[in-house]
Amino acid sequence: MREKGVVPLLILLSGLGLILFIIAATSIPLKDQIFSKLYPKKESKAVSEVTGAAFSLGTQTLNVIEGQQVPVNILVRTDTHKANLFSAKINYDLDKLEILNVDTTGTFITVWAERVFDNSLGKASIIGGVPKPGFSTAGVDATMVTLIFRAKAGGTALISYDASSAIYRNTDNVNFLTATEGLTLIIQ
């Protein structure tokens, strides 16, 4: 009789051990440790400024007259790698500037995800893409879009790229944006 009671007890303990193992193996920290050793992820190599991409606004300083409409080009430079997604997040002085229009004439972008601005916040978000094989420049900047600003008040106004701006490489979808250059408007 004792031997018959041992077998069900061993089966019960085995089942309980299996359940505990499954719970432990699927807990996130342990699972990540186990699977990262079994299936290591291919790490992307860091991109230096030499091999990176850049956003600029054409010039660093521009003199304008109050009330004047000012076209500002969002320029892209991707000489070393093809890119497939371009996300330009723009900040500007809402007391001195307002965006009137987003002009896509002459752009290299083929698919638009977002072209919005909010003059009450002084922000614009321009996101577009170029499907495979992507887009690259060859020693010269390319125009992504032109923002048409109006100078509302005199003084100095800064237009800059937000830190969340990005340019994604076509081969591995890694953000390789390494440089941004803003624009200072001197409004008279």
Side-chain angles (χ1 to χ4, degrees):
M1 183 90 178
R2 283 188 144 214
E3 289 179 13
K4 286 184 180 181
V6 171
V7 173
L9 182 60
L10 288 175
I11 292 172
L12 180 64
L13 288 174
S14 305
L16 185 59
L18 181 62
I19 291 170
L20 289 173
F21 175 76
I22 290 170
I23 291 171
T26 57
S27 74
I28 292 175
L30 183 58
K31 182 174 105 179
D32 288 346
Q33 289 175 357
I34 291 170
F35 285 108
S36 67
K37 289 185 189 288
L38 292 174
Y39 305 103
K41 289 183 180 179
K42 182 180 171 186
E43 301 235 356
S44 296
K45 295 179 180 166
V47 180
S48 71
E49 285 192 26
V50 175
T51 61
F55 271 132
S56 70
L57 297 172
T59 185
Q60 291 182 329
T61 308
L62 191 60
N63 292 313
V64 298
I65 298 169
E66 188 175 329
Q68 179 180 346
Q69 288 188 16
V70 183
V72 175
N73 293 326
I74 294 181
L75 300 174
V76 173
R77 189 72 170 266
T78 60
D79 290 349
T80 58
H81 298 282
K82 290 189 177 197
N84 61 11
L85 184 62
F86 304 82
S87 176
K89 305 291 185 167
I90 305 294
N91 298 317
Y92 56 94
D93 186 336
L94 61 101
D95 295 325
K96 295 184 175 66
L97 298 171
E98 68 180 348
I99 295 178
L100 302 175
N101 189 24
V102 177
D103 183 4
T104 59
T105 305
T107 183
F108 62 89
I109 298 292
T110 58
V111 179
W112 290 104
E114 190 169 82
R115 291 175 290 180
V116 298
F117 57 89
D118 187 335
N119 287 321
S120 67
L121 296 174
K123 295 187 178 295
S125 178
I126 312 296
I127 303 172
V130 178
K132 282 191 176 188
F135 175 81
S136 66
T137 56
V140 68
D141 294 338
T143 301
M144 179 179 174
V145 73
T146 301
L147 300 176
I148 309 299
F149 284 90
R150 184 178 74 81
K152 296 191 315 185
T156 301
L158 179 65
I159 304 171
S160 63
Y161 287 94
D162 190 83
S164 63
S165 295
I167 298 176
Y168 293 93
R169 200 167 38 212
N170 190 63
T171 55
D172 56 7
N173 289 323
V174 168
N175 178 10
F176 71 117
L177 177 63
T178 56
T180 61
E181 187 176 287
L183 168 65
T184 301
L185 294 178
I186 300 167
I187 306 167
Q188 302 168 352

PDB file of all heavy atoms in Angstrom, residues 67-79:
ATOM      1  N   GLY A  67       5.896  91.116 -40.112  1.00  0.00           N
ATOM      2  CA  GLY A  67       4.793  90.915 -41.054  1.00  0.00           C
ATOM      3  C   GLY A  67       5.184  90.121 -42.297  1.00  0.00           C
ATOM      4  O   GLY A  67       4.330  89.647 -43.037  1.00  0.00           O
ATOM      5  N   GLN A  68       6.477  89.965 -42.529  1.00  0.00           N
ATOM      6  CA  GLN A  68       6.982  89.271 -43.713  1.00  0.00           C
ATOM      7  C   GLN A  68       6.740  87.762 -43.612  1.00  0.00           C
ATOM      8  O   GLN A  68       6.852  87.169 -42.548  1.00  0.00           O
ATOM      9  CB  GLN A  68       8.480  89.539 -43.866  1.00  0.00           C
ATOM     10  CG  GLN A  68       9.140  88.867 -45.032  1.00  0.00           C
ATOM     11  CD  GLN A  68      10.640  89.181 -45.110  1.00  0.00           C
ATOM     12  OE1 GLN A  68      11.141  90.091 -44.453  1.00  0.00           O
ATOM     13  NE2 GLN A  68      11.352  88.404 -45.904  1.00  0.00           N
ATOM     14  N   GLN A  69       6.414  87.148 -44.763  1.00  0.00           N
ATOM     15  CA  GLN A  69       6.351  85.690 -44.843  1.00  0.00           C
ATOM     16  C   GLN A  69       7.762  85.180 -45.127  1.00  0.00           C
ATOM     17  O   GLN A  69       8.451  85.705 -45.996  1.00  0.00           O
ATOM     18  CB  GLN A  69       5.394  85.245 -45.936  1.00  0.00           C
ATOM     19  CG  GLN A  69       3.943  85.487 -45.576  1.00  0.00           C
ATOM     20  CD  GLN A  69       2.987  84.878 -46.581  1.00  0.00           C
ATOM     21  OE1 GLN A  69       3.354  84.031 -47.383  1.00  0.00           O
ATOM     22  NE2 GLN A  69       1.737  85.315 -46.520  1.00  0.00           N
ATOM     23  N   VAL A  70       8.164  84.159 -44.383  1.00  0.00           N
ATOM     24  CA  VAL A  70       9.531  83.655 -44.471  1.00  0.00           C
ATOM     25  C   VAL A  70       9.512  82.151 -44.769  1.00  0.00           C
ATOM     26  O   VAL A  70       9.110  81.356 -43.918  1.00  0.00           O
ATOM     27  CB  VAL A  70      10.287  83.893 -43.144  1.00  0.00           C
ATOM     28  CG1 VAL A  70      11.732  83.449 -43.260  1.00  0.00           C
ATOM     29  CG2 VAL A  70      10.180  85.333 -42.698  1.00  0.00           C
ATOM     30  N   PRO A  71       9.933  81.738 -45.972  1.00  0.00           N
ATOM     31  CA  PRO A  71      10.031  80.302 -46.242  1.00  0.00           C
ATOM     32  C   PRO A  71      11.290  79.733 -45.584  1.00  0.00           C
ATOM     33  O   PRO A  71      12.383  80.263 -45.739  1.00  0.00           O
ATOM     34  CB  PRO A  71      10.123  80.226 -47.769  1.00  0.00           C
ATOM     35  CG  PRO A  71      10.634  81.562 -48.198  1.00  0.00           C
ATOM     36  CD  PRO A  71      10.244  82.555 -47.138  1.00  0.00           C
ATOM     37  N   VAL A  72      11.117  78.649 -44.831  1.00  0.00           N
ATOM     38  CA  VAL A  72      12.236  77.995 -44.156  1.00  0.00           C
ATOM     39  C   VAL A  72      12.256  76.532 -44.596  1.00  0.00           C
ATOM     40  O   VAL A  72      11.308  75.786 -44.341  1.00  0.00           O
ATOM     41  CB  VAL A  72      12.119  78.103 -42.619  1.00  0.00           C
ATOM     42  CG1 VAL A  72      13.225  77.314 -41.939  1.00  0.00           C
ATOM     43  CG2 VAL A  72      12.135  79.562 -42.184  1.00  0.00           C
ATOM     44  N   ASN A  73      13.329  76.144 -45.264  1.00  0.00           N
ATOM     45  CA  ASN A  73      13.460  74.774 -45.744  1.00  0.00           C
ATOM     46  C   ASN A  73      13.961  73.848 -44.647  1.00  0.00           C
ATOM     47  O   ASN A  73      14.951  74.158 -43.983  1.00  0.00           O
ATOM     48  CB  ASN A  73      14.436  74.699 -46.918  1.00  0.00           C
ATOM     49  CG  ASN A  73      13.916  75.409 -48.142  1.00  0.00           C
ATOM     50  OD1 ASN A  73      12.720  75.431 -48.397  1.00  0.00           O
ATOM     51  ND2 ASN A  73      14.810  75.991 -48.909  1.00  0.00           N
ATOM     52  N   ILE A  74      13.285  72.710 -44.493  1.00  0.00           N
ATOM     53  CA  ILE A  74      13.804  71.640 -43.649  1.00  0.00           C
ATOM     54  C   ILE A  74      14.683  70.811 -44.568  1.00  0.00           C
ATOM     55  O   ILE A  74      14.203  70.188 -45.511  1.00  0.00           O
ATOM     56  CB  ILE A  74      12.679  70.794 -43.042  1.00  0.00           C
ATOM     57  CG1 ILE A  74      11.877  71.647 -42.070  1.00  0.00           C
ATOM     58  CG2 ILE A  74      13.243  69.553 -42.356  1.00  0.00           C
ATOM     59  CD1 ILE A  74      10.748  70.917 -41.380  1.00  0.00           C
ATOM     60  N   LEU A  75      15.981  70.846 -44.290  1.00  0.00           N
ATOM     61  CA  LEU A  75      16.962  70.190 -45.150  1.00  0.00           C
ATOM     62  C   LEU A  75      17.513  68.928 -44.501  1.00  0.00           C
ATOM     63  O   LEU A  75      17.705  68.875 -43.284  1.00  0.00           O
ATOM     64  CB  LEU A  75      18.108  71.157 -45.466  1.00  0.00           C
ATOM     65  CG  LEU A  75      17.694  72.442 -46.183  1.00  0.00           C
ATOM     66  CD1 LEU A  75      18.879  73.377 -46.317  1.00  0.00           C
ATOM     67  CD2 LEU A  75      17.085  72.141 -47.540  1.00  0.00           C
ATOM     68  N   VAL A  76      17.789  67.945 -45.340  1.00  0.00           N
ATOM     69  CA  VAL A  76      18.270  66.639 -44.888  1.00  0.00           C
ATOM     70  C   VAL A  76      19.593  66.346 -45.566  1.00  0.00           C
ATOM     71  O   VAL A  76      19.790  66.663 -46.733  1.00  0.00           O
ATOM     72  CB  VAL A  76      17.249  65.540 -45.273  1.00  0.00           C
ATOM     73  CG1 VAL A  76      17.788  64.160 -44.966  1.00  0.00           C
ATOM     74  CG2 VAL A  76      15.933  65.768 -44.574  1.00  0.00           C
ATOM     75  N   ARG A  77      20.485  65.699 -44.814  1.00  0.00           N
ATOM     76  CA  ARG A  77      21.769  65.243 -45.370  1.00  0.00           C
ATOM     77  C   ARG A  77      22.009  63.820 -44.911  1.00  0.00           C
ATOM     78  O   ARG A  77      22.080  63.553 -43.708  1.00  0.00           O
ATOM     79  CB  ARG A  77      22.883  66.166 -44.880  1.00  0.00           C
ATOM     80  CG  ARG A  77      24.225  65.954 -45.519  1.00  0.00           C
ATOM     81  CD  ARG A  77      24.191  66.461 -46.972  1.00  0.00           C
ATOM     82  NE  ARG A  77      25.488  66.505 -47.565  1.00  0.00           N
ATOM     83  CZ  ARG A  77      26.268  67.590 -47.583  1.00  0.00           C
ATOM     84  NH1 ARG A  77      25.879  68.701 -47.030  1.00  0.00           N
ATOM     85  NH2 ARG A  77      27.430  67.529 -48.168  1.00  0.00           N
ATOM     86  N   THR A  78      22.062  62.878 -45.861  1.00  0.00           N
ATOM     87  CA  THR A  78      22.295  61.462 -45.554  1.00  0.00           C
ATOM     88  C   THR A  78      23.259  60.892 -46.582  1.00  0.00           C
ATOM     89  O   THR A  78      22.894  60.013 -47.360  1.00  0.00           O
ATOM     90  CB  THR A  78      20.983  60.649 -45.580  1.00  0.00           C
ATOM     91  OG1 THR A  78      20.415  60.755 -46.890  1.00  0.00           O
ATOM     92  CG2 THR A  78      19.986  61.125 -44.560  1.00  0.00           C
ATOM     93  N   ASP A  79      24.484  61.377 -46.600  1.00  0.00           N
ATOM     94  CA  ASP A  79      25.449  60.980 -47.626  1.00  0.00           C
ATOM     95  C   ASP A  79      25.922  59.535 -47.525  1.00  0.00           C
ATOM     96  O   ASP A  79      26.238  58.915 -48.530  1.00  0.00           O
ATOM     97  CB  ASP A  79      26.693  61.887 -47.569  1.00  0.00           C
ATOM     98  CG  ASP A  79      26.399  63.296 -48.036  1.00  0.00           C
ATOM     99  OD1 ASP A  79      25.313  63.541 -48.599  1.00  0.00           O
ATOM    100  OD2 ASP A  79      27.262  64.168 -47.841  1.00  0.00           O
TER     101      ASP A  79
END
